[in-house]
Structure formats: C-alpha cells, structure tokens
C-alpha cells in the first residue's frame, strides 16, 4: 500500500507559475500513471492531466504534468495563472498490489 | 456528450443500506469498453474511490477498505449503474459521485454532479 502526499495549500499571483507536488510514500512513482483533477468550489472534479503528462482535449496547455523518480513524486504545473484556476487539485494513482485507486489529500490553490 | 446524474435518498438511517443510482445519458453504458465508478467525498475532505464495474457487468473492483459492504451493479436496459453500501454509519456521510472511467487511459471523466447522503437517525 502507498499514500500520495500533497501540500495542503499553495498560493500565487495571477500570471505567475505554480507547481503542486504529489509524493508517493512507497514503490516507484513511475510504476503507475498519475492523474490530476481540478475541483472548483461547489463543482465536481474534472481531469486536467492523465497518463502523467497528457492533457484531455479542452484543457489549456498552461497545465502540464511531470514525474520525478529522484523525489518519487509527480507534479502539476500551472503557468500564466488565472483567477479561474483557483480550486482544489487532487492527484490519483493506482495501487496494483491491492487493486485500489489512491487519491492524494488535495491541494487548495489560491490565486492572490 | 455523455452526462451522468446521481439519484437516491439524501438521508439514510444508521445500520441500513445506502442505495444510489447513476443514470447515463448521451451514450450507451454498454459501449466503448468503459468502467463505471463511484467516488465519495466526506464533507470538506478529499476524494475516496469506492469501486467500479466493467461495462458488461461482468467484473467489479472495490476499495479493499469498503469491499465487504459495497455492491456495484449495471443495468444496461436502463442505461444505469448502481451503488449499494450496507451497514452504514455516520462515517459514510459524504457526497457520492458517479464517473465514467476510460478503459484505455483509465481516467475518470465525466463525473456526475454528486449527491449528498447523510447518515443519521
């Protein structure tokens, strides 16, 4: 079993770039793809990144994903921040050992 | 464009069974090789995967921590799938979402709007 740990909150100014991390507690981050979901207040989650780095159609290229084996973590980077990006962001990956999908605890992004 | 909509009682008594239905519109539940999933979110908290069922209804996968209490079924004739969670307690109070899972890329999209279920006597 593993956990995905995210910072509780991050904040940045409009137009700037922010990166949200998602650290896997055990096993390699590269073992299973990581996905990222955006949840605006009062709304359902939507996918912003799947397959570590892929953007669904309709998601702006300001959103990008990556993984770093050295820190065993995945990252979501949002450039050119806009007020509409203010939301909670969750990472998600699959635990093959117990056939379970694991969400990170979520990160609240505030666009100042 | 596929849309999902959850329905069911908003209040369930402790020890009873929570039952929800997800209606799928804009596409057939039995096409495309998708999985159909339930995810919940405790008030003000993060997301928790409950389980999913393959489009043909033949295979189900459940969160090990909930497996003994969860049943997910698909009704292709009604283009719906359902969730039953037995022996509920206050800890099962949450917003319950249904979502489609791509059978190839395995990402959860789209999601329903969610329905709040409160467990209370």
């Amino acid at each position: 079993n593993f956990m995905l740990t995210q910072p509780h909150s991050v904040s940045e100014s409009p137009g700037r770039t922010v990166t949200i991390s998602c650290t896997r507690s055990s096993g390699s981050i590269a073992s299973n793809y990581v996905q990222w979901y955006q949840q605006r207040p009062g709304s359902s989650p939507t996918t912003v990144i799947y397959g570590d780095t892929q953007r669904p159609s309709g998601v702006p290229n300001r959103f990008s994903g990556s993984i770093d084996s050295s820190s065993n973590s995945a990252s979501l980077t949002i450039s050119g921040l806009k007020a509409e990006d203010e939301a909670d962001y969750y990472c998600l990956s699959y635990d093959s050992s117990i056939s379970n999908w694991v969400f990170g605890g979520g990160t609240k992004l505030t666009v100042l | 464009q596929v849309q999902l909509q959850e329905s069911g009682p908003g209040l369930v008594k402790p020890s009873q069974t929570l039952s929800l239905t997800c209606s799928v519109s804009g596409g057939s539940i039995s096409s495309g090789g998708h999985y159909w999933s339930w995810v919940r979110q405790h008030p003000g908290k993060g997301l928790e995967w409950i389980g999913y069922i393959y489009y043909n209804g033949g295979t189900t996968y459940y969160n090990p921590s909930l497996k003994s209490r969860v049943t997910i079924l698909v009704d292709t004739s009604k283009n719906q799938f359902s969730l039953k969670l037995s022996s509920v307690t206050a800890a099962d109070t949450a917003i319950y979402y249904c979502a489609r899972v791509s059978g190839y890329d395995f990402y959860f999209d789209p999601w329903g709007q969610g329905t709040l279920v409160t467990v209370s006597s």
Side-chain angles (χ1 to χ4, degrees), chain B residues 38-84:
Chain B
W38 290 94
V39 177
R40 70 181 182 180
Q41 185 169 34
H42 294 103
K45 303 295 184 182
L47 300 164
E48 179 182 31
W49 177 68
I50 298 171
Y52 54 30
I53 188 167
Y54 196 44
Y55 76 103
N56 62 7
T59 309
T60 51
Y61 299 87
Y62 300 133
N63 185 322
S65 69
L66 298 170
K67 186 174 183 177
S68 63
R69 299 193 293 131
V70 175
T71 302
I72 296 176
L73 299 173
V74 65
D75 186 339
T76 54
S77 67
K78 295 182 178 179
N79 223 34
Q80 296 174 337
F81 64 106
S82 62
L83 168 70
K84 290 188 185 300

Short mmCIF file of all heavy atoms in Angstrom, two decimals, chain B residues 38-84:
data_model
loop_
_atom_site.label_atom_id
_atom_site.label_comp_id
_atom_site.label_asym_id
_atom_site.label_seq_id
_atom_site.Cartn_x
_atom_site.Cartn_y
_atom_site.Cartn_z
N TRP B 38 -17.86 4.72 -8.73
CA TRP B 38 -18.38 5.57 -7.66
C TRP B 38 -17.19 6.09 -6.84
O TRP B 38 -16.25 5.34 -6.53
CB TRP B 38 -19.33 4.79 -6.75
CG TRP B 38 -20.63 4.45 -7.41
CD1 TRP B 38 -20.95 3.29 -8.06
CD2 TRP B 38 -21.79 5.30 -7.50
NE1 TRP B 38 -22.23 3.36 -8.55
CE2 TRP B 38 -22.77 4.58 -8.21
CE3 TRP B 38 -22.10 6.58 -7.04
CZ2 TRP B 38 -24.04 5.11 -8.49
CZ3 TRP B 38 -23.36 7.10 -7.31
CH2 TRP B 38 -24.31 6.36 -8.02
N VAL B 39 -17.26 7.36 -6.50
CA VAL B 39 -16.25 8.04 -5.69
C VAL B 39 -17.01 8.87 -4.67
O VAL B 39 -18.06 9.44 -4.99
CB VAL B 39 -15.36 8.96 -6.55
CG1 VAL B 39 -14.36 9.72 -5.68
CG2 VAL B 39 -14.63 8.15 -7.63
N ARG B 40 -16.49 8.98 -3.46
CA ARG B 40 -17.16 9.80 -2.47
C ARG B 40 -16.23 10.84 -1.87
O ARG B 40 -15.00 10.71 -1.96
CB ARG B 40 -17.80 8.95 -1.36
CG ARG B 40 -16.84 8.27 -0.43
CD ARG B 40 -17.61 7.45 0.60
NE ARG B 40 -16.73 6.81 1.57
CZ ARG B 40 -17.16 6.04 2.57
NH1 ARG B 40 -18.47 5.81 2.73
NH2 ARG B 40 -16.30 5.51 3.41
N GLN B 41 -16.83 11.84 -1.29
CA GLN B 41 -16.07 12.94 -0.69
C GLN B 41 -16.74 13.33 0.62
O GLN B 41 -17.84 13.89 0.61
CB GLN B 41 -16.02 14.13 -1.64
CG GLN B 41 -15.16 15.27 -1.18
CD GLN B 41 -14.93 16.31 -2.28
OE1 GLN B 41 -15.80 16.56 -3.11
NE2 GLN B 41 -13.75 16.91 -2.29
N HIS B 42 -16.07 13.03 1.72
CA HIS B 42 -16.60 13.44 3.02
C HIS B 42 -16.63 14.95 3.09
O HIS B 42 -15.78 15.62 2.49
CB HIS B 42 -15.76 12.84 4.15
CG HIS B 42 -15.84 11.34 4.21
ND1 HIS B 42 -14.82 10.53 3.76
CD2 HIS B 42 -16.82 10.52 4.64
CE1 HIS B 42 -15.17 9.26 3.93
NE2 HIS B 42 -16.38 9.24 4.47
N PRO B 43 -17.60 15.53 3.78
CA PRO B 43 -17.77 16.99 3.80
C PRO B 43 -16.48 17.73 4.11
O PRO B 43 -15.84 17.50 5.14
CB PRO B 43 -18.82 17.19 4.90
CG PRO B 43 -19.62 15.94 4.87
CD PRO B 43 -18.64 14.84 4.58
N GLY B 44 -16.07 18.57 3.20
CA GLY B 44 -14.87 19.37 3.38
C GLY B 44 -13.58 18.60 3.30
O GLY B 44 -12.51 19.13 3.63
N LYS B 45 -13.64 17.35 2.85
CA LYS B 45 -12.46 16.49 2.81
C LYS B 45 -12.11 16.08 1.38
O LYS B 45 -12.67 16.59 0.42
CB LYS B 45 -12.71 15.24 3.68
CG LYS B 45 -13.06 15.54 5.12
CD LYS B 45 -11.90 16.21 5.85
CE LYS B 45 -12.25 16.40 7.33
NZ LYS B 45 -11.15 17.09 8.06
N GLY B 46 -11.19 15.13 1.28
CA GLY B 46 -10.71 14.69 -0.01
C GLY B 46 -11.58 13.60 -0.62
O GLY B 46 -12.64 13.24 -0.12
N LEU B 47 -11.09 13.07 -1.74
CA LEU B 47 -11.82 12.09 -2.53
C LEU B 47 -11.42 10.66 -2.15
O LEU B 47 -10.26 10.41 -1.81
CB LEU B 47 -11.55 12.32 -4.01
CG LEU B 47 -11.97 13.69 -4.55
CD1 LEU B 47 -11.32 13.97 -5.90
CD2 LEU B 47 -13.48 13.79 -4.66
N GLU B 48 -12.39 9.76 -2.21
CA GLU B 48 -12.14 8.35 -1.91
C GLU B 48 -12.81 7.49 -2.97
O GLU B 48 -14.02 7.58 -3.18
CB GLU B 48 -12.67 7.98 -0.52
CG GLU B 48 -12.47 6.52 -0.15
CD GLU B 48 -13.05 6.19 1.22
OE1 GLU B 48 -14.05 6.82 1.61
OE2 GLU B 48 -12.50 5.28 1.89
N TRP B 49 -12.02 6.64 -3.64
CA TRP B 49 -12.58 5.73 -4.63
C TRP B 49 -13.33 4.61 -3.92
O TRP B 49 -12.82 4.01 -2.97
CB TRP B 49 -11.46 5.15 -5.48
CG TRP B 49 -11.90 4.15 -6.50
CD1 TRP B 49 -12.65 4.38 -7.61
CD2 TRP B 49 -11.60 2.76 -6.51
NE1 TRP B 49 -12.84 3.22 -8.31
CE2 TRP B 49 -12.21 2.20 -7.66
CE3 TRP B 49 -10.89 1.91 -5.66
CZ2 TRP B 49 -12.12 0.85 -7.98
CZ3 TRP B 49 -10.78 0.56 -5.98
CH2 TRP B 49 -11.40 0.04 -7.14
N ILE B 50 -14.54 4.32 -4.39
CA ILE B 50 -15.36 3.26 -3.80
C ILE B 50 -15.23 1.96 -4.61
O ILE B 50 -15.07 0.88 -4.04
CB ILE B 50 -16.83 3.69 -3.73
CG1 ILE B 50 -17.00 4.91 -2.83
CG2 ILE B 50 -17.71 2.53 -3.23
CD1 ILE B 50 -18.38 5.52 -2.87
N GLY B 51 -15.35 2.09 -5.92
CA GLY B 51 -15.26 0.90 -6.76
C GLY B 51 -15.74 1.19 -8.16
O GLY B 51 -16.19 2.30 -8.46
N TYR B 52 -15.61 0.18 -9.06
CA TYR B 52 -16.18 0.33 -10.40
C TYR B 52 -16.52 -1.02 -10.99
O TYR B 52 -16.11 -2.08 -10.49
CB TYR B 52 -15.31 1.16 -11.34
CG TYR B 52 -13.86 0.81 -11.56
CD1 TYR B 52 -13.36 -0.49 -11.48
CD2 TYR B 52 -12.96 1.84 -11.89
CE1 TYR B 52 -12.02 -0.75 -11.72
CE2 TYR B 52 -11.62 1.57 -12.13
CZ TYR B 52 -11.16 0.28 -12.04
OH TYR B 52 -9.82 0.01 -12.28
N ILE B 53 -17.32 -0.94 -12.04
CA ILE B 53 -17.80 -2.13 -12.72
C ILE B 53 -17.51 -1.98 -14.21
O ILE B 53 -17.61 -0.88 -14.77
CB ILE B 53 -19.31 -2.35 -12.46
CG1 ILE B 53 -19.78 -3.68 -13.01
CG2 ILE B 53 -20.15 -1.19 -13.00
CD1 ILE B 53 -21.17 -4.09 -12.51
N TYR B 54 -17.12 -3.07 -14.84
CA TYR B 54 -16.86 -3.04 -16.27
C TYR B 54 -18.18 -2.91 -17.02
O TYR B 54 -19.22 -3.36 -16.52
CB TYR B 54 -16.10 -4.29 -16.70
CG TYR B 54 -15.44 -4.20 -18.05
CD1 TYR B 54 -14.73 -3.07 -18.43
CD2 TYR B 54 -15.52 -5.26 -18.95
CE1 TYR B 54 -14.12 -2.99 -19.67
CE2 TYR B 54 -14.91 -5.19 -20.19
CZ TYR B 54 -14.21 -4.06 -20.55
OH TYR B 54 -13.61 -3.98 -21.77
N TYR B 55 -18.15 -2.36 -18.21
CA TYR B 55 -19.37 -2.02 -18.93
C TYR B 55 -20.28 -3.23 -19.17
O TYR B 55 -21.49 -3.08 -19.27
CB TYR B 55 -19.03 -1.38 -20.27
CG TYR B 55 -18.56 -2.36 -21.33
CD1 TYR B 55 -19.41 -2.75 -22.35
CD2 TYR B 55 -17.28 -2.90 -21.30
CE1 TYR B 55 -19.00 -3.65 -23.32
CE2 TYR B 55 -16.86 -3.79 -22.25
CZ TYR B 55 -17.72 -4.16 -23.26
OH TYR B 55 -17.30 -5.05 -24.20
N ASN B 56 -19.71 -4.42 -19.23
CA ASN B 56 -20.54 -5.59 -19.48
C ASN B 56 -21.09 -6.20 -18.20
O ASN B 56 -21.76 -7.23 -18.22
CB ASN B 56 -19.78 -6.65 -20.27
CG ASN B 56 -18.55 -7.17 -19.52
OD1 ASN B 56 -18.35 -6.84 -18.35
ND2 ASN B 56 -17.75 -7.98 -20.18
N GLY B 57 -20.78 -5.54 -17.09
CA GLY B 57 -21.30 -6.01 -15.82
C GLY B 57 -20.62 -7.24 -15.26
O GLY B 57 -20.99 -7.75 -14.21
N GLY B 58 -19.61 -7.72 -15.97
CA GLY B 58 -19.01 -8.98 -15.58
C GLY B 58 -17.93 -8.89 -14.52
O GLY B 58 -17.62 -9.89 -13.87
N THR B 59 -17.34 -7.71 -14.36
CA THR B 59 -16.21 -7.60 -13.43
C THR B 59 -16.37 -6.36 -12.57
O THR B 59 -16.67 -5.27 -13.08
CB THR B 59 -14.89 -7.49 -14.22
OG1 THR B 59 -14.82 -8.55 -15.17
CG2 THR B 59 -13.71 -7.59 -13.27
N THR B 60 -16.18 -6.54 -11.28
CA THR B 60 -16.23 -5.41 -10.36
C THR B 60 -14.93 -5.34 -9.56
O THR B 60 -14.28 -6.37 -9.32
CB THR B 60 -17.40 -5.53 -9.37
OG1 THR B 60 -17.36 -6.82 -8.75
CG2 THR B 60 -18.74 -5.34 -10.06
N TYR B 61 -14.56 -4.13 -9.21
CA TYR B 61 -13.38 -3.88 -8.38
C TYR B 61 -13.79 -2.91 -7.29
O TYR B 61 -14.41 -1.89 -7.57
CB TYR B 61 -12.25 -3.27 -9.21
CG TYR B 61 -11.77 -4.16 -10.33
CD1 TYR B 61 -12.40 -4.12 -11.58
CD2 TYR B 61 -10.71 -5.02 -10.17
CE1 TYR B 61 -11.98 -4.93 -12.62
CE2 TYR B 61 -10.27 -5.84 -11.20
CZ TYR B 61 -10.92 -5.78 -12.43
OH TYR B 61 -10.50 -6.59 -13.44
N TYR B 62 -13.43 -3.24 -6.06
CA TYR B 62 -13.84 -2.41 -4.93
C TYR B 62 -12.63 -1.97 -4.10
O TYR B 62 -11.63 -2.69 -4.01
CB TYR B 62 -14.80 -3.18 -4.02
CG TYR B 62 -16.08 -3.64 -4.70
CD1 TYR B 62 -16.55 -4.93 -4.54
CD2 TYR B 62 -16.83 -2.77 -5.48
CE1 TYR B 62 -17.73 -5.36 -5.14
CE2 TYR B 62 -18.01 -3.18 -6.09
CZ TYR B 62 -18.45 -4.48 -5.92
OH TYR B 62 -19.62 -4.89 -6.52
N ASN B 63 -12.76 -0.81 -3.47
CA ASN B 63 -11.77 -0.37 -2.49
C ASN B 63 -11.71 -1.42 -1.39
O ASN B 63 -12.74 -1.76 -0.79
CB ASN B 63 -12.20 0.99 -1.94
CG ASN B 63 -11.19 1.59 -0.99
OD1 ASN B 63 -10.55 0.89 -0.20
ND2 ASN B 63 -11.03 2.90 -1.07
N PRO B 64 -10.52 -1.96 -1.11
CA PRO B 64 -10.42 -3.01 -0.09
C PRO B 64 -11.01 -2.60 1.26
O PRO B 64 -11.55 -3.46 1.98
CB PRO B 64 -8.91 -3.24 0.02
CG PRO B 64 -8.39 -2.86 -1.32
CD PRO B 64 -9.23 -1.70 -1.75
N SER B 65 -10.96 -1.31 1.58
CA SER B 65 -11.46 -0.88 2.89
C SER B 65 -12.99 -0.88 2.96
O SER B 65 -13.56 -0.81 4.05
CB SER B 65 -10.94 0.52 3.20
OG SER B 65 -11.53 1.47 2.34
N LEU B 66 -13.65 -0.96 1.81
CA LEU B 66 -15.10 -0.93 1.76
C LEU B 66 -15.70 -2.21 1.17
O LEU B 66 -16.92 -2.39 1.19
CB LEU B 66 -15.58 0.25 0.91
CG LEU B 66 -15.20 1.65 1.41
CD1 LEU B 66 -15.52 2.69 0.34
CD2 LEU B 66 -15.93 1.97 2.71
N LYS B 67 -14.84 -3.08 0.69
CA LYS B 67 -15.26 -4.23 -0.12
C LYS B 67 -16.35 -5.07 0.52
O LYS B 67 -17.27 -5.54 -0.16
CB LYS B 67 -14.04 -5.10 -0.42
CG LYS B 67 -14.31 -6.24 -1.38
CD LYS B 67 -13.02 -6.96 -1.75
CE LYS B 67 -13.28 -8.05 -2.77
NZ LYS B 67 -12.01 -8.72 -3.19
N SER B 68 -16.28 -5.26 1.83
CA SER B 68 -17.24 -6.14 2.49
C SER B 68 -18.65 -5.54 2.51
O SER B 68 -19.62 -6.27 2.76
CB SER B 68 -16.79 -6.43 3.92
OG SER B 68 -16.76 -5.23 4.68
N ARG B 69 -18.77 -4.24 2.23
CA ARG B 69 -20.08 -3.59 2.34
C ARG B 69 -20.61 -3.06 1.01
O ARG B 69 -21.73 -2.55 0.97
CB ARG B 69 -19.99 -2.42 3.33
CG ARG B 69 -19.61 -2.82 4.74
CD ARG B 69 -19.86 -1.68 5.73
NE ARG B 69 -19.00 -0.53 5.51
CZ ARG B 69 -19.40 0.72 5.42
NH1 ARG B 69 -20.68 1.01 5.47
NH2 ARG B 69 -18.52 1.71 5.28
N VAL B 70 -19.82 -3.16 -0.06
CA VAL B 70 -20.17 -2.50 -1.32
C VAL B 70 -20.61 -3.49 -2.39
O VAL B 70 -20.03 -4.57 -2.54
CB VAL B 70 -18.96 -1.70 -1.86
CG1 VAL B 70 -19.27 -1.12 -3.24
CG2 VAL B 70 -18.59 -0.58 -0.90
N THR B 71 -21.65 -3.07 -3.13
CA THR B 71 -22.05 -3.79 -4.33
C THR B 71 -22.34 -2.77 -5.42
O THR B 71 -23.10 -1.82 -5.20
CB THR B 71 -23.32 -4.64 -4.10
OG1 THR B 71 -23.10 -5.56 -3.04
CG2 THR B 71 -23.69 -5.40 -5.37
N ILE B 72 -21.71 -2.94 -6.58
CA ILE B 72 -21.98 -2.10 -7.74
C ILE B 72 -22.53 -2.99 -8.85
O ILE B 72 -21.95 -4.05 -9.15
CB ILE B 72 -20.72 -1.36 -8.21
CG1 ILE B 72 -20.24 -0.39 -7.12
CG2 ILE B 72 -21.01 -0.59 -9.50
CD1 ILE B 72 -18.92 0.32 -7.45
N LEU B 73 -23.64 -2.57 -9.41
CA LEU B 73 -24.29 -3.32 -10.47
C LEU B 73 -24.57 -2.41 -11.66
O LEU B 73 -24.68 -1.20 -11.50
CB LEU B 73 -25.62 -3.91 -9.97
CG LEU B 73 -25.55 -4.90 -8.81
CD1 LEU B 73 -26.96 -5.25 -8.34
CD2 LEU B 73 -24.81 -6.16 -9.22
N VAL B 74 -24.70 -3.00 -12.84
CA VAL B 74 -25.05 -2.24 -14.03
C VAL B 74 -26.36 -2.78 -14.60
O VAL B 74 -26.58 -4.00 -14.58
CB VAL B 74 -23.91 -2.27 -15.08
CG1 VAL B 74 -23.70 -3.68 -15.62
CG2 VAL B 74 -24.18 -1.30 -16.20
N ASP B 75 -27.21 -1.89 -15.06
CA ASP B 75 -28.47 -2.26 -15.71
C ASP B 75 -28.45 -1.65 -17.11
O ASP B 75 -28.79 -0.48 -17.29
CB ASP B 75 -29.66 -1.74 -14.90
CG ASP B 75 -31.00 -2.22 -15.44
OD1 ASP B 75 -31.05 -2.60 -16.64
OD2 ASP B 75 -31.98 -2.20 -14.70
N THR B 76 -28.01 -2.44 -18.07
CA THR B 76 -27.85 -1.90 -19.43
C THR B 76 -29.19 -1.53 -20.05
O THR B 76 -29.26 -0.62 -20.87
CB THR B 76 -27.11 -2.90 -20.33
OG1 THR B 76 -27.81 -4.16 -20.29
CG2 THR B 76 -25.69 -3.10 -19.84
N SER B 77 -30.27 -2.20 -19.64
CA SER B 77 -31.59 -1.90 -20.21
C SER B 77 -32.06 -0.50 -19.83
O SER B 77 -32.81 0.14 -20.58
CB SER B 77 -32.61 -2.95 -19.77
OG SER B 77 -32.85 -2.85 -18.38
N LYS B 78 -31.62 -0.04 -18.69
CA LYS B 78 -32.00 1.31 -18.22
C LYS B 78 -30.86 2.31 -18.41
O LYS B 78 -31.02 3.49 -18.08
CB LYS B 78 -32.41 1.27 -16.75
CG LYS B 78 -33.66 0.46 -16.47
CD LYS B 78 -34.02 0.52 -14.99
CE LYS B 78 -35.30 -0.25 -14.70
NZ LYS B 78 -35.66 -0.21 -13.25
N ASN B 79 -29.73 1.84 -18.91
CA ASN B 79 -28.54 2.70 -19.06
C ASN B 79 -28.16 3.34 -17.73
O ASN B 79 -27.88 4.54 -17.63
CB ASN B 79 -28.76 3.78 -20.11
CG ASN B 79 -27.55 3.96 -21.02
OD1 ASN B 79 -26.85 3.00 -21.32
ND2 ASN B 79 -27.31 5.18 -21.43
N GLN B 80 -28.14 2.51 -16.70
CA GLN B 80 -27.83 2.97 -15.35
C GLN B 80 -26.87 2.01 -14.67
O GLN B 80 -26.76 0.84 -15.05
CB GLN B 80 -29.11 3.01 -14.50
CG GLN B 80 -30.17 3.99 -14.95
CD GLN B 80 -31.45 3.87 -14.13
OE1 GLN B 80 -31.73 2.83 -13.52
NE2 GLN B 80 -32.24 4.94 -14.08
N PHE B 81 -26.20 2.50 -13.65
CA PHE B 81 -25.49 1.62 -12.74
C PHE B 81 -25.77 2.09 -11.32
O PHE B 81 -26.20 3.23 -11.11
CB PHE B 81 -24.00 1.50 -13.07
CG PHE B 81 -23.19 2.76 -12.93
CD1 PHE B 81 -22.31 2.95 -11.87
CD2 PHE B 81 -23.23 3.75 -13.92
CE1 PHE B 81 -21.53 4.08 -11.77
CE2 PHE B 81 -22.46 4.89 -13.83
CZ PHE B 81 -21.61 5.06 -12.75
N SER B 82 -25.53 1.20 -10.37
CA SER B 82 -25.98 1.49 -9.01
C SER B 82 -24.90 1.17 -7.99
O SER B 82 -23.94 0.44 -8.24
CB SER B 82 -27.24 0.67 -8.71
OG SER B 82 -26.95 -0.71 -8.76
N LEU B 83 -25.12 1.74 -6.80
CA LEU B 83 -24.23 1.52 -5.66
C LEU B 83 -25.08 1.13 -4.47
O LEU B 83 -26.11 1.76 -4.18
CB LEU B 83 -23.47 2.81 -5.32
CG LEU B 83 -22.73 2.82 -3.98
CD1 LEU B 83 -21.54 1.88 -4.01
CD2 LEU B 83 -22.28 4.24 -3.61
N LYS B 84 -24.69 0.08 -3.80
CA LYS B 84 -25.29 -0.27 -2.52
C LYS B 84 -24.16 -0.36 -1.50
O LYS B 84 -23.16 -1.05 -1.74
CB LYS B 84 -26.06 -1.58 -2.59
CG LYS B 84 -27.34 -1.49 -3.43
CD LYS B 84 -28.17 -2.75 -3.32
CE LYS B 84 -29.37 -2.70 -4.26
NZ LYS B 84 -30.27 -1.56 -3.96
#
